[in-house]
Every structure is written in structure tokens, then in C-alpha cells.
């Protein structure tokens, strides 16, 4: 039997080989590159993963101009503040912004931590301070999120002297990723109303305290204290200030008492 040669065979075997190789690779998936995780969600979470933040468009919020150790933070266009100390060492980091007035002022805050807070890993939110150097001996008031008892603490600071005005229960105990909304309202008489709501619409203040030991302030801001492993694990998605605040009615003397300091 005579075998007839196929005269239709391509004249360029090299091209045929390259085509076959290309088809083989076309059936393979592309390599996936995974960015090293620092324990936090992405900087721009999807809508379903974005934290629930109370919104109220009826207020006019103060523009904030952050200064201080800005190299240790990332400040996003939507206002999110993220600790991002690339030295990966233990330390503190401070941001401050001018405060137009502490009278009839409302601070709306949202804090997210990716660790269980402790005495060496916590966040201070200065509501009032007489200096932008919040790590110094300022006069003012601040909230501390975390401590050795996993509470939120409200302090008055006068130089190097601290006075605990009130504190929450230890609701963050054992929580490796606490997230909390906080609202503080101060009227022109020196009454502070502290809200730590469990829902998006707080109704009753956790505490109402009158304290006029410090009545003036030029700045507010945040101070992060952290160990090396937590140098990128604090976020403040919301830090807003407005002045749509009314004075509260005078309360009976002694109706509210500060908690006993324990931290």
C-alpha cells in the first residue's frame, strides 16, 4: 500500500510549536500575588464590610486640619485616620487639630482596634487641650480607649496631674478587635454628656458630669500608645465635631459621682 504524503502540512514547524505552547498556557490561571497582612481589614473595605457609622446630615461639621507626627499615620480622603508607624517599634504617635471652641461642642468618634487593648496599647482622644503637643503636660480632657481593665476612661488632665471623672464597665475584656462609637457633648456651663451607644442612635448618656476646672482649649486630637506588634493596628474612621448643642438644665448637686480610679 502506498502512503500518500499530506501536502497540506504547514511549512513552518517553529510557528506551530509556539502556537501549541501559547494554547497550553492559555488554559492556566494567572499567578496570584498576596500582600502581606498587618492584621487589619483593607484600607478601602467593600460596602458590606464598611463599619456602620451613625450619620446626621443636619449638622455642619468643623473642617479638621491635622498636624503633628503625620508621618506615623495615614489620613484618608473620607476622614479615616490610621496609625501606620513603619518603624515597627514601640512608641507613641500624636495628631492634633485646632478646636474653634469647647463650648456647646459635640465630638462624634468611632474607634477600631485590631488587638485587645492594655496598659501598653491604648488610644487617647483629647477632646480639649491648651496645646497641640498632646504628649506633654497639657490642661484639658481626654478619653482613653483601653487600659489594663479594658474600659473607656474619661480624665481631666492638669499638667502632670490626672483626675478620673468616670469610666465604663470592662466591656472590651477578651475582645481581640474592639470597635466602639463614642459621642461626647459639652455645653457652655461645663456639663459633659458621655454616650457609648450599642446602636446607631444613642438615647441616654452613660454619664453626665459637670467639670469646669479647665474651661478653655485651643486643640483636640489623638495619641496612640503601642508596642511594636501593634504599630499599625489602630484606626479612627470617624472624628467629627459640630456645635449644634443646647445647654442642659441644672442638675441637683451630687446627682452624678465620678467612679473610683482603678487604672
Amino acid at each position: 500500500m502506498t502512503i500518500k504524503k499530506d501536502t497540506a502540512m504547514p511549512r513552518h514547524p517553529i510557528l506551530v510549536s509556539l502556537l501549541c505552547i501559547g494554547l497550553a498556557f492559555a488554559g492556566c490561571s494567572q499567578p496570584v500575588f498576596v500582600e502581606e497582612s498587618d492584621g487589619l481589614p483593607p484600607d478601602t473595605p467593600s460596602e458590606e464590610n464598611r463599619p456602620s457609622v451613625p450619620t446626621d446630615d443636619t449638622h455642619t461639621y468643623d473642617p479638621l486640619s491635622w498636624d503633628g507626627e503625620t508621618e506615623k499615620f495615614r489620613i484618608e480622603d473620607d476622614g479615616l485616620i490610621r496609625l501606620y508607624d513603619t518603624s515597627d517599634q514601640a512608641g507613641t504617635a500624636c495628631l492634633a487639630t485646632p478646636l474653634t471652641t469647647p463650648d456647646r461642642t459635640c465630638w462624634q468618634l468611632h474607634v477600631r482596634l485590631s488587638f485587645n487593648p492594655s496598659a501598653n496599647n491604648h488610644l487617647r482622644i483629647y477632646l480639649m487641650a491648651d496645646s497641640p503637643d498632646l504628649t506633654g503636660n497639657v490642661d484639658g480632657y481626654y478619653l482613653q480607649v483601653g487600659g489594663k481593665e479594658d474600659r473607656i476612661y474619661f480624665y481631666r488632665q492638669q499638667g502632670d496631674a490626672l483626675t478620673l471623672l468616670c469610666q465604663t464597665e470592662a466591656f472590651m475584656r477578651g475582645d481581640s478587635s474592639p470597635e466602639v462609637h463614642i459621642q461626647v457633648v459639652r455645653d457652655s456651663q461645663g456639663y459633659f454628656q458621655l454616650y457609648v451607644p450599642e446602636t446607631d442612635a444613642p438615647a441616654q448618656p452613660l454619664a453626665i458630669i459637670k467639670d469646669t476646672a479647665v474651661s478653655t482649649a485651643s486643640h483636640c486630637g489623638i495619641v496612640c500608645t503601642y508596642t511594636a506588634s501593634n504599630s499599625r493596628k489602630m484606626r479612627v474612621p470617624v472624628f467629627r465635631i459640630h456645635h449644634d448643642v443646647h445647654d442642659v438644665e441644672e442638675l441637683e448637686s451630687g446627682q452624678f459621682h465620678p467612679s473610683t480610679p482603678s487604672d
Side-chain angles (χ1 to χ4, degrees):
M1 179 181 296
T2 304
I3 299 176
K4 185 177 179 181
K5 293 183 179 180
D6 187 355
T7 58
M9 288 289 291
R11 299 181 181 181
H12 302 287
I14 296 177
L15 293 178
V16 174
S17 300
L18 291 175
L19 179 60
C20 293
I21 294 173
L23 291 174
F25 274 101
C28 300
S29 60
Q30 295 297 316
V32 177
F33 297 93
V34 180
E35 184 178 358
E36 183 180 356
S37 173
D38 57 8
L40 283 173
D43 280 337
T44 54
S46 61
E47 193 63 32
E48 60 270 19
N49 292 327
R50 186 174 292 277
S52 174
V53 178
T55 58
D56 188 343
D57 294 333
T58 63
H59 299 306
T60 299
Y61 295 96
D62 288 357
L64 304 181
S65 177
W66 295 108
D67 200 3
E69 297 177 282
T70 54
E71 72 280 0
K72 295 182 179 180
F73 293 89
R74 287 183 175 178
I75 303 174
E76 307 295 341
D77 292 339
D78 63 358
L80 182 147
I81 301 169
R82 176 182 179 182
L83 175 66
Y84 206 84
D85 186 351
T86 57
S87 70
D88 294 323
Q89 296 180 358
T92 60
C94 170
L95 281 180
T97 185
L99 179 65
T100 56
T101 176
D103 291 338
R104 294 185 178 177
T105 298
C106 176
W107 295 264
Q108 295 179 352
L109 309 160
H110 179 196
V111 175
R112 301 171 66 194
L113 307 177
S114 287
F115 55 86
N116 183 236
S118 65
N120 296 320
N121 291 280
H122 58 260
L123 175 70
R124 288 184 178 180
I125 300 170
Y126 274 82
L127 307 173
M128 298 170 52
D130 64 350
S131 167
D133 182 11
L134 304 180
T135 59
N137 290 332
V138 301
D139 289 348
Y141 298 90
Y142 68 83
L143 298 170
Q144 180 169 309
V145 182
K148 66 181 181 181
E149 292 196 1
D150 291 341
R151 306 173 188 267
I152 294 178
Y153 307 87
F154 182 33
Y155 280 97
R156 178 179 71 236
Q157 179 174 347
Q158 294 174 285
D160 59 357
L162 302 178
T163 302
L164 179 62
L165 300 177
C166 74
Q167 62 187 17
T168 68
E169 295 181 355
F171 69 95
M172 293 180 288
R173 183 171 295 160
D175 191 345
S176 61
S177 55
E179 181 172 354
V180 62
H181 299 291
I182 307 171
Q183 179 171 286
V184 181
V185 178
R186 182 182 185 274
D187 73 359
S188 64
Q189 305 169 97
Y191 277 108
F192 289 91
Q193 301 178 62
L194 174 62
Y195 299 84
V196 184
E198 296 181 359
T199 65
D200 290 349
Q204 298 296 326
L206 178 69
I208 301 178
I209 301 166
K210 186 174 184 179
D211 194 287
T212 58
V214 180
S215 58
T216 61
S218 59
H219 287 79
C220 59
I222 64 176
V223 177
C224 301
T225 299
Y226 48 90
T227 56
S229 60
N230 293 321
S231 63
R232 305 183 193 182
K233 296 183 179 180
M234 299 188 193
R235 286 185 176 187
V236 182
V238 175
F239 193 119
R240 297 186 299 199
I241 298 172
H242 72 77
H243 304 281
D244 299 329
V245 173
H246 300 287
D247 287 349
V248 301
E249 295 181 3
E250 288 290 343
L251 303 173
E252 288 184 31
S253 177
Q255 184 174 354
F256 294 93
H257 299 277
S259 300
T260 303
S262 62
D263 203 345

